[in-house]
Structures are given as structure tokens and as C-alpha cells.
Amino acid sequence: MFLNFQGKKQEIYCEFKSMLEQLLIFTRGGLILWTCKELGDALKGSPIDTLIRSCLLEERSGAASYSYDVTGASYTLKWTFHNELGLVFVAVYQRILHLLYVDELLAMVRREFSEIYDPKRTVYNDFDETFRQLRKEAEARAEELKKSKQTVKPVNNNKKQGQVQKAGSDKGSKKSGGNLAADGGDGDNGKGRKLENGHSNGKHVENEETRITGVVNGKENTSSNISAFDVSKLQKRTKNGKKTDTVVSKGSKVDPKTKVTKKNRVWDDAPPQTKLDFTDLVDGNGNENIEVVAANQGESMMDVEEIISSDSEGEEDDDVEKDSKPEAKKKGWFSSMFQSIAGKANLEKEDLEPALKALKDRLMTKNVAEEIAEKLCESVAASLEGKKLASFTRVSSTVQAAMEEALVRILTPRRSIDILRDVHAAKEQRKPYVVVFVGVNGVGKSTNLAKVAYWLLQHDVSVMMAACDTFRSGAVEQLRTHARRLQIPIFEKGYEKDPAIVAKEAIQEATRNGSDVVLVDTAGRMQDNEPLMRALSKLIYLNNPDLVLFVGEALVGNDAVDQLSKFNQKLADLSTSPTPRLIDGILLTKFDTIDDKVGAALSMVYISGAPVMFVGCGQSHTDLKKLNVKSIVKTLLK
């Protein structure tokens, strides 16, 4: 575009030619029907494949555009669907160019191609000339729109100048006045949307600031009240009170030699649990009495198949229909019955909105992040809009079926998550399989690392632990207790050491000893703590683990999006490698405490694209299982 060409016409021609990089038409099954041969095939990288893999298959098709970066080029991709025919139309252009006509061009191509489309045909060479005309028309409209926007300002300021321009452009305005009006309307609507979003975002930020200020003020008030607290009032209140006497009487009966132990809670009719405290026993002389404990505690839940009842969920559809009735327009009995029998011609956005709103609310009550629920509903709406409603089918059931398919597609892993196979492959290469556990504070990394170790031991895999949490007090002792309980070696260097160096030495030790797997425990860190995130990035870069597992709580809601996106972002930004390692898989903890609030699994998988590989569901070493996708989807839509 900035090269020196001979002749102004050639320069303009090349400039227009380089604006649109590619336009592609293909079926949902992946069959390419037509590409623009004029534009050539000089795309760098594979933007179309990345769009399909990262956006369309991941239920992100409700977005307006997709950005693709590769060495030497940055592309923007826009697309539209013809859901009834199952066609996808994609346009690719350089991101630096703000092309105004791409959306209109895609709509025109969609309209014209759908008229000549035949499912039996696979070649559409006759569409080349049609596209050439459509492209010229779209570019001409974009130029007219630019000129009309430029002439708006002088019309308001200078009357004479506006009259001269009007006289000069009388011909063009008569011919394309209607189109210009339509385009101008679209442009104004776009501005309105931007202003509306900006205004709402501004309000949101303002509310957040007010809330934060309130909390700060609350803290200040609390501290001032504590500092000015009158002790005499407390003495007056408790002088003759029963509470003081009770406390004193209790205190006098306590025997310092006897230790009060807390009883374990028994849930429902479950059998009493065994002791969970396995810290080192010390006798009266202070000598450690280390008892050898049997490592076999029973079969891990990872190897037990979970049975899901296949009862019909007809009442779910009734709930969605019930929720969507207040929003929908009231129809007569005959018209609704006739539409149910004959089927609706084409589904429109207005028809889908009540059922989608009910589904969004339902997903949010199941702990799905609001942003994720909204994007999912937009994607489902994009996949259904324009489709014909089948006979004897309600809109709510159609939306529910589409949402169920979308959820199953998101939660189903796109790659193999068979760790045992990967461990044996690494064993054949005579090197240990390294797993690094990362996550925020207090989510249960060490405990679930021990569960994974126990599961691997059940499959005759030799395991070694690496205590790389050199920051938290008691972290090494905690891991040492788990290692003694499971009778496996542990590599430790104490506290205040560089975790990356400790992990490297642990891997070297495992190679010498012939251990099959090294499980690396790391310190918990918040996603905004840059020094700790930099240390984690260094550990991953220096040791190049086979698997990076993000350990997250099943209790989190909207924070799941923030945690995972920022973890991935920090690992990418702070890495010194040109191809940084990101999170490979997810381990969900405390899954037994959430009842039907299983939305965190969906939020985490959606935002990171990484599969859920393990689910922690208890305090014992056997309490680790696989994620049952059908069960999760059923619970989310229940």
C-alpha cells in the first residue's frame, strides 16, 4: 500500500486490491465451496483454521470479529451464517485498515449466494463475476458514505459551501439517496451502540468506585471505633451477667493435661471416617516415632465409572417455557396451535430472546460467570437465527437443545487427556513426566497433588514429589506428611530458595533414581502479584514441564474468568520464550461442597480452552475423579 507505483490509477487499483485479503464460503461440515481467486491465497499463517478452532467451535460465534496475529501480519476476520442452508461466509483483511464495507459485503454475498446454492454442487466458478460487482458496489457505497460524513460539517458552518457541494453532487444523490440513507442509519445506530455501551460501562465503574470507597470508609470507621472503645461499658455489661460467670467456671474446670479433640462430622448415613491427621508422632522425650503406614487406602474414584440416570427432563422445558412467557407476546389459541403444527417459517431474534434470557438466568444461578453466560446465549442465538422451526416443536425446547449441544462441545476435551499413556511414552524416552501444579492461595494444591500421586501409584507408576513452595510456612512439612503417608520420596530444599532451581534439581534427581513422574508443588499466588507470577513463569520456562495444571476452586463464580485469563496472560507476557507455555489442564477442587452450583467448570474451560482433567471431591487420597460431561450439562440445564 505504501510502495511507489508508476501511475496514479495503478496505485489506486493496488490499494483497493490489497484492502480485502480473502473471502471464503464453506459449509458447516468444512467443505469449501468458493474462494475469491482475484484476491489470491497469500495469507500468512492459518487465520481461517484458527477462527474455526478457537471461535466457531468454542461457541464464540456471537462476537463481532476475531483478531489473528502472526509474524509479519495482523488480520481481522468477520463472518456471517446462513443457518438454514448451513453455510459460513468469512472475510479477512488487514487489521490496520478500518474497512466500512465488509459487513455489508458479507450480507450481499450471503443473499446472492443463497439464491444459487445447490447442496449437490461443489464448484461455483460462475460466482466470480457476481462477487466482483458486489464488491465494487460495496466499495462505492463506502466511499459515498465517507464523502457524506465529510460534507456534514461544512453544511452546518458555511451555508454557501454546502450549497455548492450539493449542486455538484446532485446526480449521485438522486441515484443512491435511499442506499445512503440506509447506510447512514446503520452508521448512526453503530455510534449509538458505542455511546450506550460506553455510558453503561462508565456507570458500572462509578458504582464500583462508590462500593470500594464505602468499604474503605467502613474500615476506617471500624478502626476508629475500636480505638475509642470504652472498656468500662463492657465491665458494666458483664459484671452481673451470666456469660462471664460461665466462662470463668468453664475455665476453672479445664485440665491442661487433657487435649480436647474435635469430632468429625458425619454426613447423612455415611460410615464414620478414619483419622485424617497423619503428622509425625512425637513421644514424651521429643523423639519422633515414625510409623510405617500402608499406602493402599482403597480404589481411587478416578477408576470408578459414574452412573448417570437417563430420566427424561421434560419438566425442564416446561420451566423454560414458564420463565419465557412473561416476556413473550400473547398469542391466540388457534395461532399458537397452528404454528406448533405447521412450524414457523424462520426463527428471528425476537422469538429467541425470551427463552435465551431464561437460560442465561438459569446458568448464572448455577454459578456460571455472567460474561460467559451472555456470550453463550449470543452464540446459540447466532446458530439458530434464520433456521426453520420443525413441526410440533417449541422455541424453548429448540433453544435448550442447541444450548445442550454447545455445552457438551465446550466441556468435551479436544485432545487426549490420558496422562497414563503420556507417562509411559516419557518412560520409553527414559525421562520423567513432570507435572506442575499452579493456582491461587488456599485452593488445595498440595492435598490434590497427593491425590494424583495416590492414583498414579495405583497404576504402578513410581512418583516423586518436589516441594517447590518455599514461601508458605508449613508447606514443606505438609507435603512431607503426604509423602510419608503414601511411602513415596520427596525432594526438598527448605524455605527461601529459588523454586525454579529446586524443581530443576528434583527432575535431575528423579532421572537418576528412575522415577516415572515428578509432581511439582508451587506456592499459591494471586493473579495480580507480578513478582510471584514472574517466578512461576521462570520455573515453567526453565524446566519445561509436560503438563501445567491450574488448580481452582469449584466455589468461584465470576472470579474464575479473572483468575484463568490473568494467569494465562501473565505467563505469556513474562515468559522469555517466543512460544510461552500456558495452562494445559484444570483440576477442580472442593467439588463436594457446591451441590448443583457446577458453573465454575464451564467458566474455566470456556475462558482458557483447557480441559478439566481431575475433580477433587473430598479429603481422602481416594477422593479424586474424572469430570462427567453429561452430568455437568444435565445439572446446568436442570
Side-chain angles (χ1 to χ4, degrees):
M1 187 172 176
F2 298 101
L3 298 174
N4 294 322
F5 294 102
Q6 293 179 355
K8 194 174 181 181
K9 289 183 179 178
Q10 188 178 1
E11 184 180 349
I12 294 171
Y13 173 77
C14 292
E15 184 180 353
F16 274 109
K17 187 175 180 181
S18 64
M19 279 187 174
L20 195 66
E21 295 290 332
Q22 187 55 269
L23 197 138
L24 189 73
I25 303 174
F26 57 92
T27 64
R28 285 188 181 270
L31 178 64
I32 297 176
L33 300 175
W34 180 85
T35 55
C36 183
K37 296 173 184 176
E38 275 187 13
L39 300 174
D41 193 15
L43 291 176
K44 295 181 180 179
S46 53
I48 305 292
D49 294 343
T50 308
L51 172 72
I52 294 170
R53 185 171 58 252
S54 303
C55 190
L56 303 186
L57 291 180
E58 289 296 313
E59 297 301 325
R60 292 178 173 86
S61 54
S65 62
Y66 179 76
S67 298
Y68 176 79
D69 293 315
V70 70
T71 306
S74 296
Y75 298 116
T76 296
L77 291 85
K78 289 194 172 185
W79 62 91
T80 186
F81 301 111
H82 197 300
N83 290 315
E84 191 175 354
L85 300 178
L87 301 177
V88 185
F89 304 81
V90 181
V92 187
Y93 60 93
Q94 293 284 349
R95 192 186 305 168
I96 196 171
L97 303 171
H98 300 285
L99 302 186
L100 301 174
Y101 64 85
V102 174
D103 292 327
E104 186 181 0
L105 178 62
L106 282 172
M108 292 162 67
V109 169
R110 177 181 178 274
R111 184 182 65 247
E112 294 295 331
F113 191 84
S114 60
E115 291 179 1
I116 64 169
Y117 174 69
D118 183 1
K120 297 177 182 179
R121 284 181 63 183
T122 56
V123 180
Y124 292 87
N125 292 329
D126 54 336
F127 192 68
D128 293 347
E129 184 59 34
T130 307
F131 172 72
R132 198 177 294 113
Q133 294 174 1
L134 293 175
R135 185 182 170 199
K136 287 180 181 178
E137 188 179 342
E139 287 175 354
R141 287 187 184 182
E143 285 299 312
E144 289 176 1
L145 184 61
K146 278 184 182 178
K147 290 177 183 177
S148 65
K149 284 183 177 179
Q150 288 172 1
T151 55
V152 166
K153 292 179 182 178
V155 166
N156 294 332
N157 297 331
N158 194 343
K159 214 171 187 180
K160 291 181 181 179
Q161 190 178 354
Q163 288 173 356
V164 172
Q165 288 175 354
K166 187 179 178 183
S169 61
D170 232 6
K171 280 186 180 178
S173 62
K174 284 181 182 177
K175 188 174 181 180
S176 58
N179 294 330
L180 275 171
D183 293 342
D186 290 343
D188 293 339
N189 289 338
K191 284 184 182 178
R193 282 194 297 273
K194 287 180 183 176
L195 286 171
E196 189 181 346
N197 291 337
H199 185 60
S200 63
N201 290 338
K203 277 187 177 178
H204 179 69
V205 172
E206 195 176 332
N207 292 337
E208 286 292 317
E209 288 176 359
T210 309
R211 186 174 61 82
I212 292 166
T213 309
V215 172
V216 173
N217 292 338
K219 285 185 179 178
E220 288 176 358
N221 293 336
T222 307
S223 61
S224 63
N225 290 338
I226 291 171
S227 62
F229 188 75
D230 191 358
V231 183
S232 61
K233 290 182 180 179
L234 181 64
Q235 291 174 347
K236 286 177 182 178
R237 286 182 63 186
T238 57
K239 191 173 182 181
N240 299 320
K242 294 180 181 179
K243 191 173 182 181
T244 309
D245 298 333
T246 309
V247 172
V248 172
S249 62
K250 279 186 179 178
S252 59
K253 290 181 182 179
V254 172
D255 188 1
K257 294 182 181 179
T258 59
K259 184 180 177 182
V260 180
T261 57
K262 182 181 177 182
K263 293 182 180 180
N264 292 332
R265 177 177 289 182
V266 180
W267 297 96
D268 300 329
D269 298 327
Q273 292 184 353
T274 55
K275 182 183 71 171
L276 292 173
D277 185 7
F278 295 105
T279 51
D280 297 341
L281 302 177
V282 182
D283 58 18
N285 299 325
N287 300 320
E288 290 187 357
N289 181 20
I290 300 176
E291 181 186 355
V292 178
V293 185
N296 188 9
Q297 302 170 30
E299 188 179 10
S300 174
M301 295 176 69
M302 280 287 292
D303 303 316
V304 179
E305 291 293 331
E306 191 174 351
I307 300 171
I308 303 298
S309 61
S310 58
D311 299 334
S312 61
E313 300 292 335
E315 65 273 7
E316 295 175 11
D317 295 339
D318 297 335
D319 294 340
V320 176
E321 190 74 17
K322 199 182 293 180
D323 293 339
S324 62
K325 273 181 183 178
E327 301 291 334
K329 292 181 179 179
K330 291 184 178 179
K331 294 183 179 180
W333 172 82
F334 182 77
S335 62
S336 60
M337 185 189 70
F338 180 77
Q339 183 175 313
S340 175
I341 295 173
K344 188 173 172 61
N346 290 104
L347 286 172
E348 298 174 2
K349 198 170 183 180
E350 292 76 15
D351 304 322
L352 302 170
E353 279 178 357
L356 286 173
K357 186 181 182 302
L359 266 181
K360 180 188 170 184
D361 294 341
R362 180 182 296 180
L363 289 174
M364 289 173 63
T365 58
K366 303 292 183 180
N367 222 13
V368 178
E370 182 181 2
E371 178 188 351
I372 306 300
E374 192 170 343
K375 286 182 179 178
L376 272 170
C377 290
E378 287 174 0
S379 181
V380 169
S383 66
L384 290 178
E385 198 173 343
K387 268 192 175 180
K388 187 174 181 180
L389 188 66
S391 303
F392 299 100
T393 308
R394 293 178 297 180
V395 175
S396 59
S397 56
T398 304
V399 170
Q400 175 126 344
M403 180 63 79
E404 186 174 349
E405 289 177 11
L407 294 178
V408 170
R409 189 159 50 246
I410 290 168
L411 291 171
T412 303
R414 300 192 305 275
R415 59 177 178 82
S416 173
I417 56 172
D418 189 356
I419 292 181
L420 294 174
R421 188 192 67 179
D422 297 338
V423 167
H424 290 303
K427 191 176 180 180
E428 289 175 1
Q429 298 176 9
R430 296 182 179 179
K431 64 175 186 178
Y433 187 83
V434 183
V435 184
V436 175
F437 292 76
V438 303
V440 299
N441 308 75
V443 294
K445 288 183 293 300
S446 303
T447 304
N448 285 275
L449 181 147
K451 293 179 187 178
V452 174
Y454 178 77
W455 171 67
L456 290 170
L457 289 173
Q458 295 292 300
H459 291 271
D460 299 324
V461 176
S462 58
V463 183
M464 186 176 82
M465 293 181 178
C468 296
D469 184 354
T470 61
F471 182 75
R472 176 172 63 90
S473 300
V476 176
E477 288 78 8
Q478 180 186 4
L479 211 62
R480 192 189 299 152
T481 301
H482 283 299
R484 183 177 59 83
R485 174 72 177 157
L486 297 173
Q487 298 180 16
I488 59 177
I490 179 173
F491 187 89
E492 55 175 288
K493 286 287 184 181
Y495 295 97
E496 297 183 0
K497 303 291 191 300
D498 188 349
I501 304 300
V502 176
K504 188 175 182 180
E505 292 177 0
I507 295 169
Q508 292 171 353
E509 180 70 19
T511 306
R512 285 193 295 270
N513 295 341
S515 297
D516 299 330
V517 178
V518 179
L519 302 179
V520 180
D521 186 28
T522 63
R525 64 206 75 211
M526 296 307 294
Q527 60 269 25
D528 297 317
N529 191 327
E530 187 165 328
L532 287 178
M533 289 303 299
R534 193 179 294 278
L536 179 63
S537 180
K538 178 187 173 183
L539 185 148
I540 293 173
Y541 171 69
L542 190 64
N543 297 285
N544 191 23
D546 298 281
L547 185 65
V548 179
L549 270 182
F550 179 84
V551 185
E553 283 183 329
L555 303 167
V556 295
N558 289 322
D559 199 40
V561 178
D562 191 56
Q563 285 179 14
L564 264 167
S565 58
K566 285 189 177 178
F567 253 84
N568 265 334
Q569 189 64 44
K570 292 289 184 182
L571 288 177
D573 293 345
L574 301 176
S575 176
T576 55
S577 172
T579 56
R581 284 291 302 277
L582 303 178
I583 291 166
D584 300 316
I586 298 167
L587 194 158
L588 269 180
T589 65
K590 308 176 186 179
F591 211 73
D592 55 325
T593 64
I594 57 172
D595 194 24
D596 63 344
K597 305 290 190 292
V598 296
L602 177 64
S603 300
M604 289 183 177
V605 173
Y606 188 91
I607 202 67
S608 67
V612 175
M613 306 183 75
F614 301 101
V615 173
C617 53
Q619 300 179 68
S620 302
H621 287 148
T622 57
D623 295 331
L624 188 75
K625 62 181 182 179
K626 299 174 185 175
L627 182 76
N628 192 308
V629 174
K630 291 182 180 178
S631 173
I632 295 294
V633 172
K634 183 179 176 182
T635 306
L636 284 171
L637 297 178
K638 186 166 66 176

